[in-house]
Amino acid sequence: MVWRETVRHRVLAALNVASVALGVAVFLAVQIVNRSASESFASGVDLVAGRSHLEVRGDIPDAVFAQVRAFPGVLAATPLVEGVVTLPDYPGEYLRVLGVDIFTNEPFRTFEVGEPEGGFDLEKWLTAPRRVAV
């Protein structure tokens, strides 16, 4: 009976097959886009924060950093400072700030720190008050 109806209404049968195929294609496309977006976000976080296998979070005193770094099995450790800054001229807007210690984060870096043309005195820049690198 199904075969007889399929032969009798060939256009309708073709539309049914095409609609199922289109539904499967859309489902797969959405899955691929979701996975791609998730991996892109993770790559962006790794680019900024670096790759790590363990994070110690909280308001941690500086002395604890030395203990974490000296702990057996820890190959490398670096401090990060995160915060949110409000912008007075832009109500409702904020800026997320991520502070990275450029001297201890080399094992985690996914970017290269270089000098601009004409030279750059990093020590002078770092010791000057009220400096921020963006």
Side-chain angles (χ1 to χ4, degrees), residues 15-120:
L15 284 174
N16 283 334
V17 170
S19 66
V20 170
L22 183 62
V24 170
V26 168
F27 173 79
L28 289 175
V30 168
Q31 295 299 320
I32 291 169
V33 167
N34 283 342
R35 176 173 241 159
S36 176
S38 295
E39 289 177 4
S40 177
F41 179 74
S43 297
V45 170
D46 284 347
L47 180 65
V48 173
R51 300 176 191 268
S52 65
H53 295 287
L54 176 66
E55 291 183 16
V56 179
R57 290 189 162 260
D59 192 14
I60 301 169
D62 291 341
V64 174
F65 174 68
Q67 294 173 346
V68 168
R69 197 169 191 174
F71 196 81
V74 174
L75 300 176
T78 188
L80 297 174
V81 178
E82 291 181 84
V84 177
V85 178
T86 58
L87 305 171
D89 294 338
Y90 300 94
E93 297 291 327
Y94 64 92
L95 179 65
R96 184 171 180 184
V97 178
L98 176 66
V100 180
D101 183 358
I102 62 170
F103 298 111
T104 61
N105 81 335
E106 190 171 348
F108 304 99
R109 249 187 243 159
T110 55
F111 58 90
E112 196 62 40
V113 177
E115 288 189 21
E117 289 184 27
F120 178 70

